[in-house]
Each structure stands twice: as C-alpha cells, then as structure tokens.
Coordinates of all heavy atoms in Angstrom, one line a residue:
M26 N 17.6 18.4 -2.8 CA 17.4 19.1 -1.5 C 16.6 18.1 -0.6 O 15.6 17.5 -1.1 CB 16.5 20.3 -1.8 CG 16.1 21.0 -0.5 SD 15.3 22.6 -0.8 CE 13.6 22.0 -0.6
V27 N 16.9 18.0 0.6 CA 16.2 17.2 1.5 C 15.1 18.0 2.2 O 15.4 19.1 2.7 CB 17.2 16.6 2.6 CG1 16.4 15.9 3.7 CG2 18.3 15.8 2.0
N28 N 13.9 17.5 2.1 CA 12.8 18.2 2.7 C 12.3 17.4 3.8 O 11.8 16.3 3.6 CB 11.7 18.5 1.6 CG 10.6 19.4 2.2 OD1 10.4 19.5 3.4 ND2 10.0 20.1 1.3
R29 N 12.4 17.9 5.0 CA 12.0 17.1 6.2 C 10.8 17.6 6.9 O 10.3 16.9 7.8 CB 13.2 17.0 7.2 CG 14.4 16.3 6.6 CD 15.6 16.4 7.6 NE 16.7 15.6 7.0 CZ 17.8 16.2 6.6 NH1 18.0 17.5 6.6 NH2 18.8 15.5 6.1
L30 N 10.3 18.7 6.5 CA 9.1 19.3 7.2 C 7.9 19.3 6.3 O 6.9 20.0 6.6 CB 9.5 20.7 7.7 CG 10.6 20.8 8.8 CD1 10.9 22.2 9.1 CD2 10.2 20.0 10.0
Q31 N 7.9 18.6 5.2 CA 6.8 18.4 4.4 C 6.6 16.9 4.0 O 7.5 16.1 4.3 CB 6.9 19.2 3.1 CG 6.9 20.7 3.3 CD 6.9 21.4 2.0 OE1 7.9 21.2 1.2 NE2 6.0 22.3 1.7
F32 N 5.5 16.6 3.4 CA 5.3 15.2 3.0 C 5.1 15.2 1.5 O 4.6 16.2 0.9 CB 4.0 14.7 3.6 CG 4.0 14.6 5.1 CD1 3.1 15.4 5.8 CD2 4.9 13.9 5.8 CE1 3.1 15.4 7.2 CE2 5.0 13.8 7.2 CZ 4.1 14.6 7.9
Y33 N 5.5 14.2 0.8 CA 5.4 14.0 -0.6 C 4.1 13.2 -0.8 O 4.0 12.0 -0.6 CB 6.6 13.3 -1.2 CG 6.7 13.4 -2.7 CD1 7.1 14.6 -3.3 CD2 6.3 12.3 -3.5 CE1 7.1 14.7 -4.7 CE2 6.4 12.4 -4.9 CZ 6.8 13.6 -5.5 OH 6.9 13.7 -6.8
I34 N 3.1 14.0 -1.2 CA 1.7 13.4 -1.4 C 1.2 13.8 -2.8 O 1.3 15.0 -3.1 CB 0.7 13.9 -0.3 CG1 1.2 13.4 1.0 CG2 -0.7 13.3 -0.6 CD1 0.4 13.9 2.2
D35 N 0.7 12.9 -3.6 CA 0.1 13.2 -4.9 C 1.0 13.9 -5.8 O 0.6 14.8 -6.5 CB -1.2 14.0 -4.6 CG -2.2 13.8 -5.7 OD1 -2.0 12.8 -6.6 OD2 -3.2 14.5 -5.8
G36 N 2.3 13.5 -5.8 CA 3.3 14.1 -6.7 C 3.9 15.4 -6.3 O 4.5 16.1 -7.2
A37 N 3.6 15.9 -5.1 CA 4.1 17.2 -4.7 C 4.5 17.3 -3.2 O 3.9 16.5 -2.4 CB 3.1 18.3 -5.0
W38 N 5.4 18.1 -2.9 CA 5.8 18.4 -1.5 C 4.7 19.3 -0.9 O 4.4 20.3 -1.5 CB 7.1 19.0 -1.3 CG 8.2 18.0 -1.6 CD1 9.0 18.0 -2.8 CD2 8.7 17.0 -0.7 NE1 9.9 16.9 -2.7 CE2 9.7 16.3 -1.4 CE3 8.3 16.6 0.5 CZ2 10.4 15.3 -0.9 CZ3 9.0 15.5 1.1 CH2 10.1 14.9 0.4
V39 N 4.1 18.8 0.2 CA 3.0 19.6 0.8 C 3.2 19.8 2.3 O 3.9 18.9 2.9 CB 1.6 18.9 0.6 CG1 1.3 18.9 -0.9 CG2 1.6 17.5 1.2
D40 N 2.8 20.9 2.8 CA 2.9 21.1 4.3 C 1.9 20.2 5.0 O 0.8 19.9 4.5 CB 2.5 22.6 4.6 CG 3.5 23.6 4.1 OD1 4.7 23.2 4.1 OD2 3.2 24.7 3.7
P41 N 2.3 19.8 6.2 CA 1.4 19.0 7.0 C 0.1 19.8 7.4 O 0.2 21.0 7.5 CB 2.2 18.7 8.3 CG 3.6 19.0 8.0 CD 3.6 20.0 6.9
V42 N -1.0 19.1 7.5 CA -2.2 19.8 7.9 C -2.0 20.4 9.3 O -2.3 21.5 9.6 CB -3.4 18.8 7.9 CG1 -4.6 19.4 8.5 CG2 -3.6 18.3 6.5
V43 N -1.4 19.6 10.2 CA -1.1 20.1 11.6 C 0.4 20.2 11.6 O 1.1 19.2 11.4 CB -1.6 19.1 12.6 CG1 -1.2 19.6 14.0 CG2 -3.1 18.9 12.5
K44 N 0.9 21.4 11.8 CA 2.4 21.6 11.9 C 2.9 21.1 13.2 O 2.8 21.7 14.2 CB 2.8 23.0 11.7 CG 2.4 23.5 10.3 CD 3.3 24.5 9.8 CE 2.8 24.9 8.4 NZ 3.9 25.2 7.5
K45 N 3.5 19.9 13.2 CA 4.1 19.3 14.4 C 5.4 18.5 13.9 O 5.3 17.9 12.9 CB 3.1 18.4 15.0 CG 3.6 17.8 16.4 CD 2.5 17.0 17.1 CE 3.0 16.5 18.4 NZ 2.0 15.6 19.0
S46 N 6.4 18.6 14.7 CA 7.7 18.0 14.3 C 8.3 17.4 15.5 O 8.0 17.6 16.6 CB 8.6 18.9 13.6 OG 9.0 20.0 14.4
T47 N 9.4 16.6 15.2 CA 10.2 16.0 16.3 C 11.6 16.0 15.8 O 11.9 15.8 14.6 CB 9.7 14.5 16.6 OG1 10.3 14.1 17.8 CG2 10.0 13.6 15.5
P48 N 12.5 16.1 16.8 CA 13.9 16.0 16.4 C 14.4 14.6 16.1 O 13.9 13.6 16.7 CB 14.7 16.6 17.6 CG 13.8 16.3 18.7 CD 12.4 16.4 18.2
V49 N 15.4 14.5 15.2 CA 16.0 13.2 14.9 C 17.4 13.3 15.6 O 18.2 14.2 15.4 CB 16.2 12.9 13.4 CG1 17.0 11.7 13.2 CG2 14.8 12.8 12.8
I50 N 17.6 12.4 16.5 CA 18.8 12.4 17.4 C 19.9 11.5 16.8 O 19.6 10.4 16.5 CB 18.4 12.0 18.8 CG1 17.3 12.8 19.4 CG2 19.7 12.1 19.7 CD1 17.6 14.3 19.5
N51 N 21.1 12.1 16.7 CA 22.2 11.3 16.4 C 22.6 10.4 17.6 O 23.0 10.9 18.6 CB 23.4 12.2 16.0 CG 24.6 11.4 15.5 OD1 25.0 10.4 16.1 ND2 25.3 11.9 14.5
P52 N 22.5 9.1 17.4 CA 22.8 8.2 18.6 C 24.3 8.3 19.1 O 24.6 8.0 20.2 CB 22.5 6.8 18.1 CG 22.5 6.9 16.6 CD 22.2 8.3 16.3
A53 N 25.2 8.7 18.2 CA 26.6 8.8 18.6 C 26.9 10.0 19.4 O 27.7 10.0 20.3 CB 27.5 8.8 17.3
T54 N 26.2 11.1 19.1 CA 26.5 12.4 19.8 C 25.4 12.8 20.7 O 25.5 13.7 21.5 CB 26.7 13.5 18.8 OG1 25.5 13.7 18.1 CG2 27.9 13.2 17.8
E55 N 24.2 12.2 20.5 CA 23.0 12.5 21.3 C 22.6 13.9 21.0 O 21.9 14.5 21.8 CB 23.1 12.2 22.8 CG 23.3 10.7 23.1 CD 23.4 10.4 24.5 OE1 23.3 11.3 25.4 OE2 23.5 9.2 24.8
E56 N 22.9 14.5 19.9 CA 22.5 15.8 19.5 C 21.5 15.7 18.4 O 21.5 14.8 17.6 CB 23.7 16.6 19.0 CG 24.7 16.9 20.1 CD 25.9 17.7 19.6 OE1 25.9 18.1 18.4 OE2 26.9 17.9 20.4
A57 N 20.6 16.7 18.4 CA 19.6 16.8 17.3 C 20.2 17.1 16.0 O 21.0 18.1 15.9 CB 18.5 17.8 17.7
M58 N 19.9 16.3 14.9 CA 20.5 16.6 13.6 C 19.6 17.5 12.8 O 20.0 18.3 12.0 CB 20.8 15.3 12.9 CG 21.8 14.4 13.5 SD 22.1 12.9 12.6 CE 20.5 12.1 12.6
Y59 N 18.3 17.3 12.9 CA 17.3 18.0 12.2 C 15.9 17.7 12.7 O 15.8 16.8 13.6 CB 17.4 17.8 10.7 CG 17.5 16.3 10.3 CD1 16.4 15.4 10.2 CD2 18.8 15.8 10.0 CE1 16.6 14.1 9.9 CE2 18.9 14.5 9.6 CZ 17.8 13.6 9.6 OH 18.0 12.3 9.2
E60 N 14.9 18.3 12.3 CA 13.5 18.1 12.6 C 12.8 17.4 11.5 O 13.1 17.6 10.3 CB 12.8 19.4 12.9 CG 13.3 20.2 14.1 CD 12.7 19.7 15.4 OE1 11.5 19.3 15.4 OE2 13.4 19.7 16.4
V61 N 11.9 16.5 11.8 CA 11.1 15.9 10.8 C 9.6 16.1 11.1 O 9.2 16.2 12.3 CB 11.3 14.3 10.6 CG1 12.7 14.1 10.1 CG2 11.1 13.6 11.9
A62 N 8.8 16.3 10.1 CA 7.4 16.5 10.3 C 6.7 15.2 10.8 O 7.1 14.1 10.4 CB 6.7 16.9 9.0
L63 N 5.7 15.4 11.7 CA 4.9 14.3 12.1 C 3.5 14.4 11.5 O 3.0 15.5 11.4 CB 4.7 14.3 13.6 CG 6.0 14.2 14.5 CD1 5.7 14.4 15.9 CD2 6.6 12.8 14.2
G64 N 3.1 13.3 11.0 CA 1.8 13.3 10.3 C 0.6 13.2 11.2 O 0.7 12.5 12.3
S65 N -0.5 13.8 10.9 CA -1.7 13.7 11.6 C -2.7 12.7 10.8 O -2.4 12.3 9.7 CB -2.4 15.1 11.8 OG -2.8 15.5 10.5
K66 N -3.8 12.5 11.4 CA -4.8 11.7 10.7 C -5.2 12.3 9.4 O -5.4 11.6 8.4 CB -6.1 11.5 11.6 CG -7.2 10.7 11.0 CD -8.4 10.6 11.8 CE -9.5 9.8 11.2 NZ -9.8 10.0 9.8
A67 N -5.3 13.6 9.4 CA -5.7 14.3 8.1 C -4.6 14.1 7.1 O -4.9 14.0 5.9 CB -5.9 15.8 8.4
D68 N -3.3 14.1 7.5 CA -2.2 13.9 6.5 C -2.3 12.4 5.9 O -2.1 12.2 4.7 CB -0.9 14.1 7.1 CG -0.6 15.5 7.6 OD1 -0.8 16.4 6.7 OD2 -0.3 15.7 8.7
V69 N -2.6 11.5 6.8 CA -2.8 10.1 6.4 C -3.9 10.0 5.4 O -3.9 9.4 4.3 CB -2.9 9.2 7.6 CG1 -3.3 7.8 7.1 CG2 -1.7 9.1 8.4
D70 N -5.0 10.7 5.7 CA -6.2 10.6 4.9 C -5.9 11.2 3.5 O -6.3 10.7 2.5 CB -7.4 11.4 5.5 CG -8.0 10.7 6.7 OD1 -7.7 9.5 6.9 OD2 -8.7 11.4 7.5
K71 N -5.1 12.3 3.4 CA -4.7 12.9 2.2 C -3.9 11.9 1.4 O -4.1 11.8 0.1 CB -4.0 14.2 2.4 CG -4.8 15.4 2.7 CD -4.0 16.6 3.1 CE -3.0 17.1 2.0 NZ -2.4 18.3 2.4
A72 N -2.9 11.3 2.0 CA -2.0 10.3 1.3 C -2.8 9.1 0.8 O -2.6 8.7 -0.3 CB -0.9 9.9 2.3
V73 N -3.7 8.6 1.6 CA -4.5 7.5 1.2 C -5.4 7.8 0.0 O -5.5 7.1 -0.9 CB -5.4 6.9 2.4 CG1 -6.4 5.9 1.9 CG2 -4.4 6.3 3.4
A74 N -6.0 9.0 0.1 CA -6.9 9.4 -1.1 C -6.1 9.6 -2.3 O -6.5 9.2 -3.4 CB -7.6 10.8 -0.7
A75 N -4.8 10.1 -2.2 CA -4.0 10.2 -3.4 C -3.6 8.8 -3.9 O -3.6 8.6 -5.1 CB -2.7 11.0 -3.0
A76 N -3.3 7.9 -3.0 CA -2.9 6.6 -3.4 C -4.1 5.9 -4.1 O -3.9 5.2 -5.1 CB -2.5 5.7 -2.2
K77 N -5.3 6.1 -3.6 CA -6.5 5.5 -4.3 C -6.7 6.0 -5.7 O -7.0 5.3 -6.6 CB -7.7 5.7 -3.4 CG -7.8 4.8 -2.2 CD -9.0 5.1 -1.4 CE -9.1 4.2 -0.2 NZ -10.3 4.4 0.6
R78 N -6.5 7.4 -5.8 CA -6.6 8.0 -7.2 C -5.5 7.4 -8.1 O -5.8 7.1 -9.3 CB -6.5 9.5 -7.1 CG -7.7 10.2 -6.6 CD -7.6 11.7 -6.8 NE -6.4 12.3 -6.2 CZ -6.3 12.6 -4.9 NH1 -7.3 12.4 -4.0 NH2 -5.2 13.2 -4.5
A79 N -4.3 7.3 -7.6 CA -3.2 6.8 -8.4 C -3.5 5.3 -8.8 O -3.1 4.9 -10.0 CB -1.9 6.9 -7.7
F80 N -4.1 4.6 -8.0 CA -4.3 3.2 -8.2 C -5.3 3.0 -9.4 O -5.2 2.0 -10.2 CB -4.8 2.4 -7.0 CG -5.0 0.9 -7.2 CD1 -3.9 0.1 -7.3 CD2 -6.3 0.4 -7.4 CE1 -4.0 -1.2 -7.6 CE2 -6.4 -1.0 -7.6 CZ -5.3 -1.8 -7.7
E81 N -6.2 3.9 -9.6 CA -7.2 3.8 -10.7 C -6.5 3.7 -12.0 O -6.9 2.9 -12.8 CB -8.1 5.0 -10.7 CG -9.0 5.1 -9.5 CD -9.9 6.3 -9.4 OE1 -9.9 7.1 -10.4 OE2 -10.5 6.6 -8.3
T82 N -5.4 4.4 -12.2 CA -4.7 4.3 -13.5 C -3.6 3.3 -13.4 O -3.4 2.5 -14.4 CB -4.1 5.7 -13.9 OG1 -3.3 6.1 -12.9 CG2 -5.2 6.7 -14.3
Y83 N -2.9 3.2 -12.3 CA -1.8 2.2 -12.2 C -2.4 0.8 -12.3 O -1.7 -0.1 -13.0 CB -1.1 2.3 -10.8 CG 0.0 1.3 -10.6 CD1 1.2 1.5 -11.2 CD2 -0.2 0.2 -9.9 CE1 2.2 0.6 -11.1 CE2 0.8 -0.7 -9.7 CZ 2.0 -0.5 -10.3 OH 3.0 -1.4 -10.2
S84 N -3.6 0.5 -11.8 CA -4.1 -0.8 -11.9 C -4.4 -1.3 -13.4 O -4.6 -2.4 -13.6 CB -5.4 -0.9 -11.1 OG -6.4 -0.1 -11.6
Q85 N -4.4 -0.3 -14.3 CA -4.7 -0.6 -15.7 C -3.4 -0.8 -16.5 O -3.4 -1.1 -17.7 CB -5.5 0.5 -16.3 CG -6.8 0.8 -15.6 CD -7.7 -0.4 -15.6 OE1 -7.9 -1.0 -16.6 NE2 -8.2 -0.7 -14.4
T86 N -2.2 -0.7 -15.8 CA -1.0 -0.8 -16.5 C -0.7 -2.3 -16.8 O -1.1 -3.2 -16.0 CB 0.2 -0.2 -15.8 OG1 0.3 -0.8 -14.5 CG2 0.0 1.3 -15.6
S87 N 0.1 -2.5 -17.8 CA 0.5 -3.9 -18.1 C 1.6 -4.4 -17.2 O 2.3 -3.6 -16.5 CB 1.0 -4.0 -19.5 OG 2.2 -3.3 -19.7
R88 N 1.9 -5.7 -17.2 CA 3.0 -6.2 -16.5 C 4.3 -5.6 -16.9 O 5.1 -5.3 -16.0 CB 3.0 -7.7 -16.7 CG 4.2 -8.4 -16.0 CD 4.3 -9.9 -16.4 NE 5.3 -10.6 -15.7 CZ 6.6 -10.6 -16.1 NH1 7.0 -9.9 -17.1 NH2 7.5 -11.2 -15.4
E89 N 4.5 -5.4 -18.2 CA 5.7 -4.8 -18.7 C 5.9 -3.4 -18.2 O 7.0 -3.0 -17.8 CB 5.7 -4.8 -20.2 CG 5.8 -6.2 -20.8 CD 4.5 -7.0 -20.8 OE1 3.4 -6.4 -20.6 OE2 4.6 -8.3 -20.8
E90 N 4.8 -2.6 -18.1 CA 4.9 -1.2 -17.6 C 5.3 -1.2 -16.2 O 6.1 -0.4 -15.7 CB 3.6 -0.5 -17.8 CG 3.3 -0.2 -19.3 CD 1.9 0.3 -19.5 OE1 0.9 -0.4 -19.0 OE2 1.7 1.4 -20.1
R91 N 4.7 -2.1 -15.4 CA 5.1 -2.2 -14.0 C 6.5 -2.6 -13.7 O 7.2 -2.1 -12.9 CB 4.1 -3.2 -13.3 CG 2.7 -2.6 -13.2 CD 1.7 -3.6 -12.6 NE 0.4 -3.2 -12.7 CZ -0.6 -3.6 -12.0 NH1 -0.5 -4.5 -11.1 NH2 -1.9 -3.2 -12.3
V92 N 7.0 -3.6 -14.5 CA 8.4 -4.0 -14.4 C 9.3 -2.9 -14.8 O 10.3 -2.6 -14.1 CB 8.6 -5.3 -15.3 CG1 10.1 -5.5 -15.4 CG2 7.9 -6.5 -14.7
A93 N 9.0 -2.1 -15.8 CA 9.8 -1.0 -16.2 C 9.8 0.1 -15.1 O 10.9 0.6 -14.8 CB 9.2 -0.4 -17.5
L94 N 8.7 0.3 -14.4 CA 8.6 1.3 -13.3 C 9.5 0.8 -12.2 O 10.3 1.6 -11.6 CB 7.2 1.5 -12.9 CG 7.0 2.4 -11.7 CD1 7.6 3.8 -12.0 CD2 5.6 2.5 -11.3
L95 N 9.3 -0.4 -11.8 CA 10.1 -1.0 -10.7 C 11.6 -1.0 -11.0 O 12.5 -0.7 -10.1 CB 9.6 -2.4 -10.3 CG 8.3 -2.4 -9.6 CD1 7.8 -3.8 -9.4 CD2 8.3 -1.6 -8.3
T96 N 12.0 -1.3 -12.2 CA 13.4 -1.2 -12.7 C 13.9 0.2 -12.5 O 15.0 0.4 -12.0 CB 13.5 -1.7 -14.1 OG1 13.0 -3.0 -14.2 CG2 14.9 -1.6 -14.6
K97 N 13.1 1.2 -12.9 CA 13.6 2.6 -12.7 C 13.7 2.9 -11.2 O 14.7 3.6 -10.9 CB 12.5 3.5 -13.3 CG 13.0 4.9 -13.4 CD 12.0 5.8 -14.1 CE 12.4 7.2 -14.1 NZ 11.5 8.1 -14.8
V98 N 12.8 2.4 -10.4 CA 12.9 2.7 -8.9 C 14.3 2.1 -8.4 O 15.0 2.7 -7.6 CB 11.7 2.1 -8.2 CG1 12.0 2.1 -6.7 CG2 10.5 2.9 -8.5
V99 N 14.6 0.9 -8.8 CA 15.8 0.2 -8.4 C 17.0 1.0 -8.8 O 18.0 1.2 -8.1 CB 15.8 -1.2 -8.8 CG1 17.2 -1.8 -8.6 CG2 14.8 -2.1 -8.1
E100 N 17.0 1.5 -10.1 CA 18.1 2.3 -10.6 C 18.3 3.6 -9.8 O 19.5 3.9 -9.5 CB 17.8 2.7 -12.1 CG 17.9 1.5 -13.0 CD 17.4 1.8 -14.4 OE1 17.1 3.0 -14.7 OE2 17.4 0.9 -15.2
V101 N 17.2 4.2 -9.4 CA 17.4 5.4 -8.6 C 17.9 5.1 -7.2 O 18.8 5.8 -6.7 CB 16.0 6.2 -8.5 CG1 16.1 7.3 -7.5 CG2 15.6 6.7 -9.9
Y102 N 17.5 4.0 -6.6 CA 18.0 3.6 -5.3 C 19.5 3.3 -5.4 O 20.3 3.8 -4.6 CB 17.3 2.3 -4.8 CG 16.1 2.6 -3.9 CD1 14.8 2.6 -4.4 CD2 16.3 2.9 -2.6 CE1 13.8 2.8 -3.6 CE2 15.2 3.2 -1.7 CZ 14.0 3.1 -2.2 OH 12.9 3.4 -1.4
K103 N 19.9 2.7 -6.5 CA 21.3 2.3 -6.6 C 22.2 3.6 -6.8 O 23.3 3.7 -6.2 CB 21.6 1.4 -7.8 CG 21.1 0.0 -7.6 CD 21.3 -0.9 -8.8 CE 20.9 -2.3 -8.5 NZ 21.1 -3.2 -9.7
R104 N 21.7 4.6 -7.5 CA 22.4 5.9 -7.7 C 22.5 6.6 -6.4 O 23.4 7.4 -6.2 CB 21.7 6.7 -8.8 CG 22.0 6.3 -10.2 CD 21.6 7.4 -11.2 NE 20.3 8.0 -11.0 CZ 19.2 7.6 -11.7 NH1 19.2 6.6 -12.5 NH2 18.1 8.3 -11.5
R105 N 21.5 6.5 -5.5 CA 21.5 7.2 -4.3 C 22.0 6.4 -3.1 O 21.8 6.9 -1.9 CB 20.1 7.8 -4.1 CG 19.7 8.7 -5.2 CD 18.4 9.4 -4.9 NE 18.6 10.3 -3.8 CZ 17.6 11.0 -3.2 NH1 16.4 10.8 -3.6 NH2 17.8 11.7 -2.1
M106 N 22.6 5.3 -3.3 CA 23.0 4.4 -2.2 C 23.9 5.1 -1.2 O 23.7 4.9 0.0 CB 23.7 3.1 -2.8 CG 23.8 2.0 -1.7 SD 22.2 1.5 -1.1 CE 21.4 0.7 -2.5
K107 N 24.8 5.9 -1.6 CA 25.7 6.6 -0.7 C 24.8 7.6 0.2 O 25.0 7.6 1.4 CB 26.7 7.5 -1.4 CG 27.7 6.6 -2.1 CD 28.8 6.2 -1.2 CE 29.9 5.4 -2.0 NZ 30.8 4.7 -1.1
E108 N 23.9 8.3 -0.4 CA 23.0 9.2 0.4 C 22.2 8.4 1.4 O 22.0 8.8 2.6 CB 22.0 9.9 -0.5 CG 22.6 11.1 -1.3 CD 21.5 11.7 -2.2 OE1 20.7 12.4 -1.6 OE2 21.6 11.4 -3.4
I109 N 21.6 7.3 0.9 CA 20.7 6.5 1.8 C 21.6 5.9 2.9 O 21.2 5.9 4.1 CB 20.1 5.4 1.0 CG1 19.1 6.0 0.0 CG2 19.3 4.4 1.9 CD1 18.6 5.0 -1.1
G110 N 22.8 5.4 2.6 CA 23.7 4.8 3.6 C 24.0 5.9 4.7 O 24.1 5.6 5.9
A111 N 24.3 7.1 4.2 CA 24.7 8.2 5.1 C 23.5 8.5 6.1 O 23.7 8.7 7.3 CB 25.1 9.4 4.4
A112 N 22.3 8.5 5.5 CA 21.1 8.8 6.4 C 20.9 7.7 7.4 O 20.6 7.9 8.6 CB 19.9 8.9 5.5
V113 N 21.1 6.4 7.0 CA 20.9 5.3 7.9 C 22.0 5.4 9.0 O 21.7 5.2 10.2 CB 21.0 4.0 7.1 CG1 21.1 2.8 8.1 CG2 19.8 3.8 6.3
S114 N 23.2 5.7 8.6 CA 24.3 5.8 9.5 C 24.0 6.9 10.6 O 24.2 6.7 11.8 CB 25.6 6.1 8.8 OG 26.7 6.2 9.7
D115 N 23.6 8.1 10.1 CA 23.3 9.2 11.0 C 22.2 8.8 12.0 O 22.3 9.1 13.2 CB 22.9 10.4 10.2 CG 24.0 11.1 9.5 OD1 25.2 10.8 9.9 OD2 23.7 12.0 8.7
E116 N 21.1 8.2 11.4 CA 19.9 8.0 12.2 C 20.0 6.8 13.1 O 19.4 6.8 14.2 CB 18.7 7.9 11.3 CG 18.4 9.3 10.7 CD 17.3 9.2 9.7 OE1 16.5 8.2 9.6 OE2 17.1 10.2 8.9
M117 N 20.8 5.8 12.7 CA 20.8 4.6 13.5 C 22.2 4.4 14.3 O 22.3 3.5 15.1 CB 20.6 3.3 12.6 CG 19.2 3.2 12.1 SD 19.0 1.8 11.1 CE 19.4 0.5 12.2
G118 N 23.2 5.1 13.8 CA 24.5 5.0 14.4 C 25.3 3.9 13.8 O 26.3 3.5 14.4
A119 N 24.8 3.3 12.7 CA 25.5 2.1 12.1 C 26.7 2.7 11.4 O 26.7 3.8 10.9 CB 24.6 1.5 11.1
P120 N 27.8 1.9 11.4 CA 29.0 2.3 10.7 C 28.6 2.5 9.2 O 27.8 1.7 8.7 CB 30.0 1.1 10.9 CG 29.5 0.4 12.1 CD 28.0 0.6 12.1
L121 N 29.2 3.5 8.6 CA 28.8 3.8 7.2 C 28.9 2.6 6.2 O 28.0 2.4 5.5 CB 29.7 5.0 6.7 CG 29.2 5.6 5.4 CD1 27.8 6.1 5.5 CD2 30.1 6.8 5.1
P122 N 30.0 1.8 6.2 CA 30.1 0.7 5.3 C 28.9 -0.3 5.5 O 28.3 -0.9 4.6 CB 31.4 0.0 5.6 CG 32.2 1.1 6.2 CD 31.3 1.9 6.9
M123 N 28.6 -0.5 6.8 CA 27.5 -1.4 7.1 C 26.1 -0.8 6.6 O 25.3 -1.5 6.1 CB 27.4 -1.7 8.6 CG 26.3 -2.6 9.0 SD 26.4 -2.8 10.8 CE 24.7 -3.4 11.1
A124 N 26.0 0.5 6.9 CA 24.7 1.1 6.5 C 24.6 1.1 5.0 O 23.4 0.9 4.5 CB 24.7 2.6 7.0
E125 N 25.6 1.3 4.2 CA 25.6 1.3 2.8 C 25.3 -0.1 2.2 O 24.6 -0.2 1.2 CB 26.8 1.9 2.2 CG 27.0 3.3 2.4 CD 28.4 3.8 1.8 OE1 29.1 3.0 1.3 OE2 28.6 5.0 2.0
K126 N 25.8 -1.1 2.8 CA 25.7 -2.4 2.2 C 24.7 -3.3 2.8 O 24.1 -4.1 2.1 CB 27.1 -3.1 2.2 CG 28.1 -2.4 1.3 CD 29.4 -3.1 1.3 CE 30.5 -2.6 0.4 NZ 30.6 -1.2 0.1
L127 N 24.5 -3.3 4.1 CA 23.6 -4.2 4.7 C 22.3 -3.7 5.2 O 21.3 -4.5 5.3 CB 24.4 -4.8 6.0 CG 25.7 -5.5 5.7 CD1 26.4 -5.9 6.9 CD2 25.5 -6.7 4.7
Q128 N 22.2 -2.4 5.4 CA 20.9 -1.9 5.9 C 20.0 -1.6 4.7 O 18.9 -1.6 4.7 CB 21.1 -0.6 6.6 CG 21.9 -0.7 7.9 CD 21.2 -1.5 9.0 OE1 20.0 -1.4 9.1 NE2 22.0 -2.2 9.8

C-alpha cells in the first residue's frame, strides 16, 4: 500500500504533526495524481530524534552486519524497480524505460 499522507518515522507510519499536503502533478496531463504530506519543523525533529536513537545501536554493528543490511536494501530496490520506475515516470514525465533504467 502506498501511504502518501503519513511519514515513516521510527519504524512506523505516523501522521504529520501539522496536517498539510500538496498535490503531485503529472507533467504530461497537468492533472493532480495524489496528495503528499508536507513536513513541519516538528516532523523533522521527530525524525532526527528517531535517527539519533537508531544510531546508538547501529553504530555498534560490525562491518559484516552493515554490509548484510545494505545488501538487503539493494535486493528490495531491485524487486521494486518497476514500481520505482513507474513513480519516477509519473512524477517527472520521463518515459517508463528511461525511468526504470536510468533514473
């Protein structure tokens, strides 16, 4: 499920502190495709605090653990390449093959 009106902070989808959004416009049709949440200073502060907490344990991981985590991230990106390409194509107006391979 695509969640565009919340932020992923500290391992969970959360509502913005200040509910404000903006439309994402398809450059090909000039029509709004969906709304995305806009972050406030308070949302940034929450995300930074979560990142600092996560760093406390992450900074203690070994090189091998970090490589394994990054390898997993790359695998997920590869599995979702079609979705990512479609989003890039919609939002930037890039042709789908270009969005999937070059963007």
Side-chain angles (χ1 to χ4, degrees):
M26 178 177 97
V27 176
N28 190 333
R29 296 178 176 108
L30 295 177
Q31 291 184 308
F32 300 118
Y33 195 73
I34 298 175
D35 207 11
W38 287 103
V39 297
D40 290 326
V42 174
V43 176
K44 294 210 180 219
K45 188 175 180 184
S46 64
T47 190
V49 174
I50 306 299
N51 181 321
T54 65
E55 296 185 357
E56 294 179 4
M58 296 183 296
Y59 45 81
E60 295 276 323
V61 293
L63 296 175
S65 65
K66 180 184 181 309
D68 295 306
V69 172
D70 291 344
K71 282 173 58 174
V73 168
K77 285 180 179 179
R78 284 191 306 277
F80 183 74
E81 291 173 13
T82 55
Y83 180 78
S84 66
Q85 302 302 310
T86 59
S87 68
R88 177 185 182 278
E89 292 76 20
E90 290 170 307
R91 293 178 188 196
V92 168
L94 176 61
L95 291 173
T96 299
K97 185 175 179 181
V98 168
V99 169
E100 289 170 5
V101 172
Y102 267 100
K103 286 180 179 178
R104 281 198 310 267
R105 297 188 66 189
M106 195 58 68
K107 292 277 186 196
E108 283 178 78
I109 295 167
V113 169
S114 178
D115 285 346
E116 294 176 11
M117 293 181 56
L121 194 53
M123 180 179 160
E125 288 177 2
K126 292 187 176 32
L127 302 176
Q128 297 290 328

